[in-house]
Amino acid sequence: VTTKAGIPVRTPRFKVVDEDREVENPDGCDVLANEIDNAGFEYPLIAKPLTAAGTKSSHHMGIVLARDGLQRLKTPCLLQEYANHGEKLFKVYVLGNSVWVYSRESMPNLPLGEKEIIPPSDDYRETPNSPQGNDSSIDENNRPPNSLKRKRCESYVEFERQAGSRCYVEFNSQRPYPKIADFGKLHDAPRNKQHRVSHSSPTTLSLSQNIHQQQEHGSPPMGPKNDLARFVTREEIEPVTNALRSAFGLDLFGFDVLVKEGGNGKEILVVDVNYFPGYKEVPNL
């Protein structure tokens, strides 16, 4: 399937991780990581629950930055390739012959390859409103004086957790998505823990270096100047809509579209199909 302009359309590559799959220890993680390597996936990956839409847990997702992050997976889940897409997601709603397309803010472009997040130092502290939850056992009055002066910042990363926490970013898809700044500084994640690089290593990437690396590797930020919306109009994606309508036998459905741009040109990715969408943006429905 292609768009009317001939842009190829596909679904992201994926792998289902079963509920009984053991990934919470290094051995189980390595087995899964080897399967992912052999299948030709490239990090980062996005982890999505297999539970149906409409449940609270169905919106809890994660970004796996390296193989160590696989230890944080909540199974069963769907591991999917993470496609840089200019921070824009397109929601397509279909009702009979009527089709509407709306754009939303989405996840940031991320550098390719295995990365690890460097935890902030004294200016970091989880807030009670962070996605990881509120630890009611913490008594603010008993905190050391210096800790009370630390910068309050919402964190998407649980640095206090063991095993793989620096290679996994959790988020709720119904809340504001993490921005590139929320990933802080990244450095190459070593395969062998005995050869772990220090935080002062030249491989450390700051925010500006992350963006520069995206440009160097054919994944530009693709901001509004690139006008991604012109690739996902009702007319342009009509072949996609017709293919989905025929494949699923539906006249009432929605689907999400990303515009991926890399070294081989643009691709349209259909990342989700909903057989009963909310038509949130569509007026008078």
Side-chain angles (χ1 to χ4, degrees):
V1 178
T2 65
T3 66
K4 283 194 171 181
I7 300 175
V9 181
R10 65 178 178 90
T11 58
R13 301 177 64 196
F14 68 92
K15 178 178 179 59
V16 175
V17 182
D18 296 327
E19 185 171 11
D20 57 354
R21 183 61 185 266
E22 185 178 14
V23 295
E24 295 182 355
N25 63 70
D27 292 337
C29 171
D30 285 343
V31 172
L32 177 59
N34 290 337
E35 293 178 4
I36 291 172
D37 290 343
N38 293 335
F41 283 93
E42 186 172 21
Y43 292 94
L45 304 171
I46 184 167
K48 302 178 179 181
L50 290 183
T51 50
T55 64
K56 182 179 293 187
S57 61
S58 68
H59 301 287
H60 294 172
M61 304 189 183
I63 305 299
V64 183
L65 296 169
R67 60 169 50 207
D68 278 1
L70 296 171
Q71 297 179 73
R72 299 266 61 84
L73 291 181
K74 296 177 175 63
T75 57
C77 71
L78 181 77
L79 278 179
Q80 197 174 75
E81 67 173 291
Y82 187 97
N84 285 332
H85 55 283
E87 303 184 18
K88 286 293 181 183
L89 169 74
F90 294 91
K91 306 286 292 186
V92 183
Y93 300 107
V94 181
L95 184 60
N97 292 323
S98 299
V99 179
W100 300 267
V101 180
Y102 297 91
S103 65
R104 289 186 185 179
E105 294 299 313
S106 186
M107 298 290 292
N109 286 2
L110 294 173
L112 301 180
E114 293 193 68
K115 304 297 176 185
E116 182 178 69
I117 299 174
I118 298 176
S121 54
D122 287 342
D123 64 344
Y124 171 81
R125 159 164 92 86
E126 280 191 15
T127 67
N129 294 324
S130 67
Q132 284 72 34
N134 180 11
D135 186 353
S136 59
S137 65
I138 297 177
D139 185 355
E140 291 284 344
N141 296 324
N142 292 329
R143 286 185 181 274
N146 289 339
S147 68
L148 295 176
K149 297 178 182 179
R150 293 178 183 174
K151 178 182 177 182
R152 290 183 66 88
C153 59
E154 182 172 322
S155 173
Y156 289 86
V157 186
E158 295 182 87
F159 291 110
E160 299 304 318
R161 291 178 65 174
Q162 71 280 13
S165 59
R166 296 185 185 182
C167 302
Y168 189 79
V169 177
E170 292 182 346
F171 68 98
N172 187 322
S173 63
Q174 288 193 318
R175 298 181 182 178
Y177 290 132
K179 301 296 185 182
I180 187 67
D182 295 310
F183 289 82
K185 292 184 178 181
L186 302 174
H187 68 66
D188 293 337
R191 291 291 186 91
N192 191 327
K193 295 294 184 62
Q194 295 178 348
H195 297 94
R196 184 174 298 279
V197 295
S198 69
H199 291 171
S200 60
S201 165
T203 58
T204 298
L205 298 175
S206 66
L207 170 60
S208 61
Q209 288 170 321
N210 282 335
I211 297 175
H212 177 71
Q213 188 188 74
Q214 293 168 14
Q215 295 169 327
E216 288 288 319
H217 288 80
S219 298
M222 297 193 296
K225 292 182 180 179
N226 295 75
D227 194 18
L228 296 179
R230 65 191 176 96
F231 301 109
V232 195
T233 65
R234 180 180 59 184
E235 295 77 16
E236 185 64 28
I237 63 169
E238 183 179 353
V240 185
T241 304
N242 291 338
L244 292 173
R245 182 187 286 116
S246 175
F248 294 104
L250 298 172
D251 286 318
L252 183 155
F253 64 99
F255 59 100
D256 296 347
V257 168
L258 306 179
V259 181
K260 178 184 178 182
E261 187 169 21
N264 297 323
K266 290 182 177 62
E267 290 182 300
I268 300 294
L269 300 185
V270 177
V271 296
D272 189 24
V273 178
N274 189 339
Y275 63 88
F276 195 78
Y279 296 94
K280 180 179 180 181
E281 291 93 342
V282 180
N284 303 319
L285 278 184

